[in-house]
Amino acid sequence: MTLDKFSGLNTRISPKATIGKNVLIGDNTVIYDNVEIGDNTVICDNCVIGEPLNAYYADTRNYENPRTQIGPGSLIRSYSILYAGSVFGEGLQCGHRVTVRENVTCGKHCSIGTLCDIQGYSVFGDYVRMHSNVHIGQHSTIGNYCWIYPYTVFTNDPTPPSDICVGPTVGDYSIVATHCLLLPGVTIGKHCLIGACSMVSRDIQDYQVAIGSPARAVKDVREVKDRETGEPHYPWPERFSRNMPWDGIGYKKWLEEGQ
Amino acid sequence: MTLDKFSGLNTRISPKATIGKNVLIGDNTVIYDNVEIGDNTVICDNCVIGEPLNAYYADTRNYENPRTQIGPGSLIRSYSILYAGSVFGEGLQCGHRVTVRENVTCGKHCSIGTLCDIQGYSVFGDYVRMHSNVHIGQHSTIGNYCWIYPYTVFTNDPTPPSDICVGPTVGDYSIVATHCLLLPGVTIGKHCLIGACSMVSRDIQDYQVAIGSPARAVKDVREVKDRETGEPHYPWPERFSRNMPWDGIGYKKWLEEGQ
Amino acid sequence: MTLDKFSGLNTRISPKATIGKNVLIGDNTVIYDNVEIGDNTVICDNCVIGEPLNAYYADTRNYENPRTQIGPGSLIRSYSILYAGSVFGEGLQCGHRVTVRENVTCGKHCSIGTLCDIQGYSVFGDYVRMHSNVHIGQHSTIGNYCWIYPYTVFTNDPTPPSDICVGPTVGDYSIVATHCLLLPGVTIGKHCLIGACSMVSRDIQDYQVAIGSPARAVKDVREVKDRETGEPHYPWPERFSRNMPWDGIGYKKWLEEGQ
């Protein structure tokens, strides 16, 4: 490339930030106080890492920015804003224009798609994949190896407006398809598949396929066939391994080996 | 903070803009001609205030930017674009990446969430709260003390595509939950509660809870109980007062005192 | 205007880009290698044209950017990101914060609204209108003169997650209203009207109005009346011509003249 994303134009890095080895930081990107960026990470142009919390505007001089951690080997695409006070494990992938507010604990090898809006105060496991434009309300919990598809929303106020805040919980390996809504406090079990355009208002047990508005369990996920082969497709880790820790080994063997 | 959001880096302010006292304007932010910013307002980094209308591109030299007013005590978060030709009352709060087009009249103490897309030519009352990613089509009307939740869309063309443009109307104190769609020209009364994922195709009377697609009135909002206390939760101003003008006084007394 | 969008502040243009006559390029905008911009085009501020593909981050020096073409007479509004490797015909209009990934072939006089998220590897005809916040998954096909309304999503994985990727197809003159979901591989015929909040899971024949979740054909589009006149409104080109090639001639005559 003749033109470089990492020319240093208007890049600003706090002297109180800690930057690992072999890190690229793009033009117009700002890294605020008390951010720690792991080795071999790429932060693209026009990003804000360690965005100051609301208290900053009340007293910009005396404000202390909480610690922010970006794991090694991460790639954060342009125009993303990650607030101070969150911790992301290694191998984070962010799309463009992602917003993540404070107090998020995010496991390793997670992916947060373009335009996602994470409202903070939530916990995500490892290998969580959020596609574009997912909205996660505060106090949500997402397990490991979950897939959340576009325009799905996690809500948390059962009688809006109120001061109650109870987010949804999604179990390991579960999939929530496009345009779904999870109502406050619902729990989706492990290995579930929530069909597109569903509104989940009650808990869903492990291995259930649930669809509709309100979502009802209609069958066991292990009965769903692959369209092309006619073979069962779920549990999906037995059929899909791209970028997963069982890639090359196979899910069953990986499980047997205690992961 | 060691690193400041308001260092003046690439900040550009038109000599024809009027900036109040004690105003902070962030890095990379542009304030165009004929913008008036009230006292004690914070405009964060990478914002555009008074974005020129489409006519600008046809004749950049002779174009006259219409007047834009941002009330005192406002806070506009980063990457927001407010077009020229709108008026916002005091205490405006904007999330990140908000887009508001021309000819919006917005009352005082309103809040417009991250990624909201307001298409212009609309009127909002006081204390309107729009959560993230709300889309308001042209010629919409929202009363006072309304709550609009994420991914809700106000539409305006009954036979698309056409040149007819009739937006929805939402009455005072009403709540439209997440992932709703308001069809062109519908009127929602006062103190209504529209449940999540509803498509409102017909008018809804005052104090109704309406759900479904199409939305049907199912009960009086005063019958809805708080999940924790078992007490009625609505009308919500009797139970919720954070950031509302009756905070500390109570809604009933505030009403009696003529507001 | 006293303050100019095209002052050249931080504008960066690759020496390997080809810029037509009478082109305006906004402040903070970057034009990467092998981009060709047609005459009389306006690229507003804070845009990225020819965004490098993922391979760039693995080897920023030796990476070769694929060719990107923006047709003449286009207007791309601020904060939009168009990846390298796509071709857009003349008269492209983009809203703010549009993201278009690689390998899109887009006809002439198309419009892509604010916050649209086009995932790449798709083909759009001429005069396609996408309103705000439309999400188009990979391997989608949209014909000529189609209208896609806000928050509509095109999906492509029938058994998520999998390596199957079959996008939807929308025929010429068809309309997909707000908050719809198109399931993987569905085909919508010509002159169809898909009602708001529909989930299209099966093919829809030409001239059908389909609504619901799952969407079912409920009538012929030619039976739908204009709300004001009581006359048939569809096929819409007979009643609507703004910015269409039959403007001033009339659709029927334009058809007779072989377009």
Side-chain angles (χ1 to χ4, degrees):
Chain A
M1 283 279 277
T2 307
L3 210 67
D4 189 4
K5 281 205 152 199
F6 307 99
S7 75
L9 179 73
N10 297 320
T11 304
R12 299 175 69 216
I13 300 171
S14 163
K16 288 192 175 170
T18 308
I19 311 295
K21 292 174 195 163
N22 193 26
V23 167
L24 292 174
I25 298 179
D27 297 356
N28 301 303
T29 281
V30 186
I31 313 284
Y32 284 105
D33 286 17
N34 305 322
V35 169
E36 301 168 23
I37 296 179
D39 298 346
N40 303 308
T41 278
V42 178
I43 315 278
C44 295
D45 43 298
N46 293 284
C47 287
V48 180
I49 311 296
E51 169 86 2
L53 311 191
N54 286 341
Y56 170 71
Y57 302 108
D59 184 356
T60 58
R61 274 193 212 171
N62 295 309
Y63 170 82
E64 267 282 322
N65 216 24
R67 182 165 162 265
T68 310
Q69 216 173 349
I70 310 288
S74 295
L75 171 55
I76 298 175
R77 289 187 182 76
S78 63
Y79 290 101
S80 289
I81 302 172
L82 306 188
Y83 271 69
S86 288
V87 176
F88 299 89
E90 64 178 71
L92 173 69
Q93 293 261 343
C94 277
H96 303 281
R97 316 180 207 284
V98 164
T99 312
V100 182
R101 284 191 45 196
E102 66 271 21
N103 287 4
V104 166
T105 303
C106 179
K108 53 191 182 178
H109 300 292
C110 289
S111 168
I112 305 178
T114 290
L115 289 169
C116 279
D117 178 16
I118 315 295
Q119 300 264 304
Y121 297 88
S122 291
V123 178
F124 308 146
D126 298 334
Y127 293 88
V128 170
R129 295 272 182 278
M130 291 182 211
H131 209 289
S132 296
N133 220 321
V134 166
H135 177 98
I136 306 287
Q138 293 186 353
H139 299 287
S140 296
T141 305
I142 301 179
N144 304 298
Y145 317 104
C146 291
W147 299 76
I148 316 292
Y149 283 90
Y151 293 75
T152 279
V153 178
F154 285 44
T155 64
N156 57 27
D157 185 352
T159 48
S162 81
D163 289 315
I164 305 173
C165 189
V166 284
T169 299
V170 177
D172 293 352
Y173 303 104
S174 280
I175 298 157
V176 186
T178 304
H179 253 307
C180 283
L181 182 73
L182 273 55
L183 285 180
V186 295
T187 295
I188 293 171
K190 296 181 181 186
H191 286 289
C192 292
L193 172 59
I194 311 300
C197 297
S198 297
M199 179 173 75
V200 183
S201 57
R202 283 175 298 191
D203 292 355
I204 305 294
Q205 303 305 311
D206 294 355
Y207 288 97
Q208 292 304 299
V209 178
I211 59 171
S213 182
R216 290 174 211 278
V218 292
K219 63 169 111 175
D220 190 289
V221 74
R222 289 161 289 200
E223 296 169 29
V224 178
K225 302 288 193 292
D226 180 288
R227 205 194 250 200
E228 294 191 344
T229 63
E231 296 293 306
H233 185 71
Y234 300 94
W236 63 266
E238 297 181 6
R239 309 258 156 1
F240 184 89
S241 59
R242 183 159 29 94
N243 295 325
M244 292 291 154
W246 53 85
D247 199 359
I249 316 166
Y251 176 61
K252 282 187 177 164
K253 197 164 181 197
W254 172 81
L255 272 184
E256 284 163 17
E257 290 177 359
Q259 309 180 16
Chain B
M1 284 278 275
T2 308
L3 209 67
D4 188 3
K5 281 204 152 199
F6 307 98
S7 74
L9 179 72
N10 296 321
T11 303
R12 298 175 69 216
I13 300 171
S14 163
K16 287 192 175 171
T18 307
I19 311 295
K21 291 174 195 163
N22 193 28
V23 167
L24 292 173
I25 298 179
D27 296 356
N28 299 305
T29 281
V30 185
I31 314 284
Y32 284 104
D33 288 16
N34 306 321
V35 169
E36 301 169 22
I37 296 179
D39 298 347
N40 304 307
T41 279
V42 178
I43 315 278
C44 295
D45 43 299
N46 292 285
C47 287
V48 180
I49 311 295
E51 169 86 4
L53 311 191
N54 286 340
Y56 171 71
Y57 302 108
D59 184 357
T60 59
R61 274 192 211 170
N62 296 308
Y63 170 82
E64 267 282 322
N65 216 23
R67 182 165 161 265
T68 310
Q69 217 174 347
I70 310 288
S74 295
L75 171 56
I76 297 174
R77 290 186 182 76
S78 64
Y79 289 100
S80 289
I81 302 171
L82 307 188
Y83 270 70
S86 287
V87 175
F88 300 89
E90 64 178 71
L92 173 69
Q93 293 260 344
C94 277
H96 302 281
R97 314 179 207 283
V98 164
T99 313
V100 182
R101 284 192 42 198
E102 66 270 22
N103 287 3
V104 166
T105 303
C106 178
K108 54 190 182 178
H109 301 292
C110 289
S111 169
I112 304 177
T114 291
L115 289 170
C116 279
D117 177 16
I118 315 295
Q119 300 264 305
Y121 298 87
S122 291
V123 178
F124 308 146
D126 297 335
Y127 292 89
V128 171
R129 295 273 182 278
M130 290 181 211
H131 210 290
S132 296
N133 220 321
V134 166
H135 177 98
I136 306 286
Q138 294 187 352
H139 300 288
S140 295
T141 304
I142 301 179
N144 303 299
Y145 317 106
C146 290
W147 299 76
I148 316 292
Y149 283 90
Y151 294 72
T152 280
V153 178
F154 285 45
T155 64
N156 58 27
D157 185 352
T159 48
S162 81
D163 289 315
I164 304 174
C165 188
V166 285
T169 298
V170 177
D172 294 352
Y173 303 104
S174 281
I175 298 156
V176 186
T178 303
H179 254 307
C180 284
L181 181 74
L182 273 54
L183 285 180
V186 296
T187 294
I188 293 171
K190 296 181 180 186
H191 286 289
C192 293
L193 172 59
I194 311 299
C197 297
S198 298
M199 178 173 73
V200 184
S201 58
R202 283 174 299 190
D203 292 355
I204 305 294
Q205 303 305 311
D206 294 355
Y207 288 98
Q208 293 304 300
V209 178
I211 59 171
S213 183
R216 290 173 211 279
V218 291
K219 63 169 109 174
D220 190 289
V221 75
R222 289 161 289 201
E223 296 168 28
V224 178
K225 301 290 193 289
D226 180 289
R227 204 194 250 202
E228 295 190 343
T229 64
E231 296 293 304
H233 185 71
Y234 301 94
W236 64 265
E238 297 180 6
R239 309 261 157 359
F240 183 90
S241 58
R242 183 160 28 96
N243 295 326
M244 290 292 155
W246 53 86
D247 198 359
I249 316 166
Y251 176 60
K252 281 186 175 163
K253 196 166 182 195
W254 172 81
L255 272 185
E256 285 164 18
E257 289 177 0
Q259 312 180 14
Chain C
M1 283 280 276
T2 307
L3 210 66
D4 188 3
K5 282 203 153 200
F6 307 99
S7 75
L9 179 73
N10 297 321
T11 305
R12 298 175 69 217
I13 300 170
S14 163
K16 287 193 176 170
T18 308
I19 311 295
K21 292 174 194 164
N22 193 27
V23 167
L24 292 174
I25 298 179
D27 296 357
N28 300 304
T29 282
V30 186
I31 314 284
Y32 284 104
D33 287 16
N34 305 323
V35 169
E36 301 169 22
I37 295 179
D39 299 345
N40 305 307
T41 279
V42 178
I43 315 278
C44 295
D45 43 298
N46 293 284
C47 287
V48 179
I49 311 295
E51 170 87 2
L53 311 191
N54 285 341
Y56 170 71
Y57 302 109
D59 184 356
T60 59
R61 274 192 212 170
N62 294 310
Y63 170 81
E64 267 282 323
N65 217 23
R67 183 164 161 266
T68 310
Q69 217 174 348
I70 310 288
S74 295
L75 171 56
I76 297 174
R77 289 186 183 76
S78 62
Y79 290 100
S80 290
I81 302 172
L82 308 188
Y83 271 69
S86 288
V87 176
F88 300 89
E90 64 178 71
L92 173 69
Q93 293 261 342
C94 277
H96 303 281
R97 314 179 208 282
V98 165
T99 312
V100 183
R101 285 191 43 198
E102 66 271 20
N103 286 5
V104 166
T105 303
C106 179
K108 54 190 181 177
H109 301 291
C110 288
S111 169
I112 304 177
T114 290
L115 290 168
C116 280
D117 178 15
I118 315 295
Q119 300 264 307
Y121 297 86
S122 291
V123 177
F124 308 146
D126 298 334
Y127 293 89
V128 171
R129 295 273 182 277
M130 290 181 212
H131 210 290
S132 295
N133 220 321
V134 167
H135 178 97
I136 306 286
Q138 294 187 353
H139 299 287
S140 295
T141 305
I142 302 179
N144 304 298
Y145 318 105
C146 290
W147 298 77
I148 315 292
Y149 284 90
Y151 294 73
T152 280
V153 178
F154 284 44
T155 64
N156 57 26
D157 185 353
T159 48
S162 81
D163 288 315
I164 305 174
C165 188
V166 282
T169 299
V170 177
D172 294 351
Y173 303 105
S174 281
I175 298 157
V176 185
T178 303
H179 254 307
C180 283
L181 181 74
L182 272 55
L183 286 179
V186 295
T187 295
I188 293 171
K190 295 182 180 185
H191 286 289
C192 292
L193 173 59
I194 310 300
C197 296
S198 298
M199 179 173 73
V200 183
S201 57
R202 284 175 298 191
D203 292 355
I204 305 294
Q205 303 305 311
D206 295 352
Y207 288 99
Q208 292 304 299
V209 178
I211 61 171
S213 183
R216 290 173 210 279
V218 292
K219 63 169 110 174
D220 190 289
V221 74
R222 289 161 289 200
E223 295 169 29
V224 178
K225 302 289 193 289
D226 181 288
R227 203 194 249 201
E228 293 190 344
T229 64
E231 296 292 307
H233 185 71
Y234 300 93
W236 63 266
E238 297 181 5
R239 310 260 157 358
F240 184 89
S241 57
R242 183 159 31 94
N243 295 326
M244 291 290 154
W246 53 84
D247 198 0
I249 316 167
Y251 176 60
K252 282 186 175 163
K253 198 166 179 194
W254 172 81
L255 273 184
E256 285 163 18
E257 289 178 359
Q259 311 179 16

